[in-house]
Amino acid sequence: MRLWFLCAVALGSLGSCHRDDDGDGTDGTGLLQIDEKTQKARKSAPGAVIFYNLFIKTKKDIPRVRKIVHEQLNLVDHPLDKEIRINSIGALKDLSRLKLSKQLAERTKLIAHYDQGFEELTLHDLWSFCKHNGTDPEQLVVYLHSKGSFHKWKGQAATDRYYLTSGALSKECMHMPKTCNVCSSRMTPVPHPHTPGNMWAARCGYIAKLIDPKKFREKMDSDFLGRHNGAPWCVGRGRFSDEHWVNSHPETAPCDLDTNQSFVSGHPMTRTFEKELKKAPRFPIATYHVSWGECPGKGESLTARLAEYRYLYSQEPPKEWWGWRSFLQESK
Ligand SMILES: *[C@@H]1O[C@H](CO)[C@@H](O)[C@H](O)[C@H]1NC(C)=O
Ligand SMILES: *[C@@H]1O[C@H](CO)[C@@H](O)[C@H](O)[C@H]1NC(C)=O
């Protein structure tokens, strides 16, 4: 019998059985588990740790956003095997107001409340968790946010949110092969490698190599990239740096799911889609040209992409890198 399960049932509280190395409530690299053979307690990491950036502008938005949270977290398969860590930004200070099911509530904790803030707060906590000495490099983390929480419940934002969340939490991403280290509904390589909508699953070993999300935007905004590369959305600068971050390292090995090539940027047409995990980018480069918009030709230059890797990480991509597959052109 697994100790953590008993703890959760007997005490109705995740925290009570949790190892909390830093004592700040933001750590907990694993849960205690009794090995039946040796009767020794050992750490066993949960299947995935989900970091959720929750934004609720005003108190009167709480009932509406609660439905959004329920819809997203109900997509968590096997919640007993997961941990959900929430940063709440804005009106909600107490997770009990989310009225989660007992099972989800047991697996969920508040990292912190902020009056205001942006996605990099939660990306930073996810990154810190992965950097923590002792976190298994194979450990899966998922990044979600309450997309569209300031819009009405139905409509395009709801389609986007379901499309993105159901990919990041899919069984395909939860069981991604070793050849992938980031997994999402869609990964788009131009005008800069990014995950449109920014929800994904990833391995800690890869995440730990990335620049601190709190410093990434500044790094992308520096003269080195800004001078010759054009508008922020063409480069992954400014607020577009959050979508670029998880794909910014030369060792990124993205996989994506959506078999239909109609969505590569902007908004997906449908909530649900046929999922088949493949190495990304999965289509020929011409398929992604639509995502160029006002950035024609941007991101197709091998020289520029390698220069950015050197600037950010002082590193060349490994031979498995997606960009070597005749994707980027020397001459562009
Ligand atoms: C990480 O943990 C290992 C094993 O506990 C220890 O030997 C090592 O010194 C630690 N490294 C850091 C940077 O704390
Ligand atoms: C791909 O998606 C588009 C837009 O939703 C749809 O019109 C088309 O039929 C889909 N193609 C396939 C092969 O399912």
Side-chain angles (χ1 to χ4, degrees), residues 22-262:
D22 292 346
D24 63 358
T26 62
D27 186 60
T29 50
L31 297 160
L32 283 175
Q33 181 177 319
I34 298 289
D35 187 310
E36 276 179 339
K37 283 202 188 99
T38 62
Q39 288 296 302
K40 264 192 221 146
R42 64 182 169 82
K43 261 166 86 179
S44 166
V49 182
I50 297 160
F51 289 80
Y52 184 71
N53 194 77
L54 174 62
F55 174 73
I56 305 185
K57 197 170 179 192
T58 66
K59 281 212 169 72
K60 74 174 182 3
D61 294 317
I62 291 176
R64 189 175 47 82
V65 180
R66 184 187 292 145
K67 287 206 296 191
I68 292 177
V69 176
H70 286 195
E71 184 192 63
Q72 288 185 287
L73 295 187
N74 281 338
L75 288 166
V76 175
D77 203 13
H78 302 298
L80 277 180
D81 183 36
K82 310 285 189 302
E83 282 182 33
I84 303 164
R85 303 185 184 190
I86 299 182
N87 271 330
S88 178
I89 300 165
L92 187 104
K93 295 189 174 161
D94 173 3
L95 291 189
S96 69
R97 298 201 63 191
L98 290 177
K99 299 184 184 164
L100 294 174
S101 70
K102 189 165 175 289
Q103 194 185 40
L104 277 176
E106 278 168 2
R107 311 306 300 165
T108 303
K109 73 175 181 182
L110 183 68
I111 306 172
H113 169 264
Y114 299 90
D115 289 329
Q116 46 193 352
F118 296 98
E119 285 192 69
E120 62 259 28
L121 290 172
T122 305
L123 290 173
H124 173 83
D125 290 336
L126 174 149
W127 173 83
S128 301
F129 167 78
C130 287
K131 292 280 278 190
H132 189 275
N133 189 21
T135 302
D136 184 346
E138 300 297 319
Q139 173 69 52
L140 288 181
V141 284
V142 176
Y143 177 65
L144 304 177
H145 54 92
S146 54
K147 187 178 175 62
S149 63
F150 32 80
H151 292 113
K152 59 186 192 303
W153 155 245
K154 295 283 178 202
Q156 185 63 54
T159 301
D160 294 357
R161 189 170 55 240
Y162 195 90
Y163 177 94
L164 301 169
T165 311
S166 62
L169 291 173
S170 64
K171 64 178 185 330
E172 288 82 358
C173 286
M174 294 297 93
H175 297 102
M176 64 172 123
K178 292 256 194 289
T179 48
C180 320
N181 54 30
V182 184
C183 181
S184 55
S185 301
R186 171 68 71 235
M187 178 271 180
T188 295
V190 290
H192 58 89
H194 68 291
T195 303
N198 207 21
M199 299 195 207
W200 37 261
R203 278 187 217 290
C204 267
Y206 170 69
I207 293 291
K209 293 174 183 169
L210 300 178
I211 292 169
D212 181 347
K214 285 187 174 168
K215 302 195 173 126
F216 186 67
R217 180 172 180 162
E218 189 188 338
K219 193 99 174 148
M220 288 302 298
D221 283 350
S222 81
D223 284 350
F224 177 81
L225 295 171
R227 269 200 312 265
H228 49 86
N229 275 313
W233 55 90
C234 302
V235 186
R237 289 194 287 115
R239 69 183 177 85
F240 300 90
S241 61
D242 283 342
E243 280 185 330
H244 180 40
W245 177 72
V246 80
N247 291 286
S248 67
H249 193 281
E251 288 174 35
T252 179
C255 291
D256 72 7
L257 303 175
D258 187 354
T259 58
N260 186 323
Q261 62 182 55
S262 66

